[in-house]
Amino acid sequence: MMDSLKAHYPRCKFAGNIGLPDEALTTKRHDHPRYRADLLNKVLGRYKSDSTIVIGLTQADIGLDNFRNRPHSGIMGLAGGFGIGIAVFSSYRPHGYGQLFCVMLHEIGHTQGLRHCKNPHCIMQNGKGGNPFSKTNVFCDKCKDFMQARHWTL
Ligand SMILES: [Zn+2]
Ligand SMILES: [Zn+2]
């Protein structure tokens, strides 16, 4: 994962392993452990400095409470906001390495300030609970320009 990421952004480095905090487990599901992505992003925020973005990868299932009209919904990734520089993503839902890498690029797009894109062929489209990464793995020209201006090679 790091080698593939470095091909797009050479100045990234592995910061180390961080344990999953029990406090981040949702209380709304008891059949299976799922972590609240918003709380995981809070933890990642402790590792962030002004000049860095921090991306966390976990194998655990992640989700959000009270999301999409359900008490708890599973998601593939979540950024701490647009241009905030913090995001978490999970290998639990994507099918295979290619999709997982797309989830990461999507969340990195948010960390750099990109919002969801209306282009149905763009990796920055709103997943709306589905998995758009089975159909696309590229940024549209507009989103690509935005990322390239921030020193991403795409
Ligand atoms: Zn998104
Ligand atoms: Zn786009």
Side-chain angles (χ1 to χ4, degrees):
M1 191 60 90
M2 283 303 293
D3 287 343
S4 312
L5 186 57
K6 275 184 182 164
H8 297 284
Y9 198 88
R11 289 175 56 198
C12 57
K13 65 170 202 249
F14 179 64
N17 292 308
I18 305 169
L20 286 162
D22 286 345
E23 317 84 84
L25 277 167
T26 180
T27 56
K28 303 204 173 177
R29 275 195 73 134
H30 301 288
D31 54 329
H32 139 93
R34 188 187 277 164
Y35 289 84
R36 281 179 52 185
D38 55 326
L39 295 184
L40 295 180
N41 276 341
K42 266 199 182 147
V43 173
L44 290 173
R46 296 182 204 140
Y47 296 83
K48 185 174 163 18
S49 69
D50 285 349
S51 60
T52 58
I53 63 174
V54 178
I55 312 291
L57 166 62
T58 179
Q59 293 178 308
D61 192 15
I62 61 172
L64 282 174
D65 284 354
N66 305 315
F67 186 54
R68 296 189 189 107
N69 299 318
R70 287 153 73 182
H72 200 86
S73 280
I75 58 174
M76 294 195 283
L78 181 76
F82 303 113
I84 303 294
I86 300 166
V88 64
F89 70 113
S90 161
S91 61
Y92 187 83
R93 282 165 202 282
H95 298 290
Y97 184 82
Q99 286 188 14
L100 180 63
F101 198 73
C102 288
V103 175
M104 180 177 65
L105 288 179
H106 177 105
E107 300 309 337
I108 287 174
H110 286 320
T111 68
Q112 296 285 271
L114 278 177
R115 290 172 183 258
H116 283 144
C117 180
K118 297 249 185 309
N119 187 324
H121 306 294
C122 180
I123 202 174
M124 288 310 296
Q125 67 188 271
N126 188 340
K128 291 183 180 156
N131 181 354
F133 308 113
S134 57
K135 297 181 204 81
T136 183
N137 61 1
V138 289
F139 290 90
C140 73
D141 288 345
K142 207 174 86 193
C143 293
K144 195 187 279 186
D145 284 350
F146 182 98
M147 293 296 281
Q148 285 174 339
R150 285 153 186 81
H151 312 292
W152 287 84
T153 304
L154 299 166

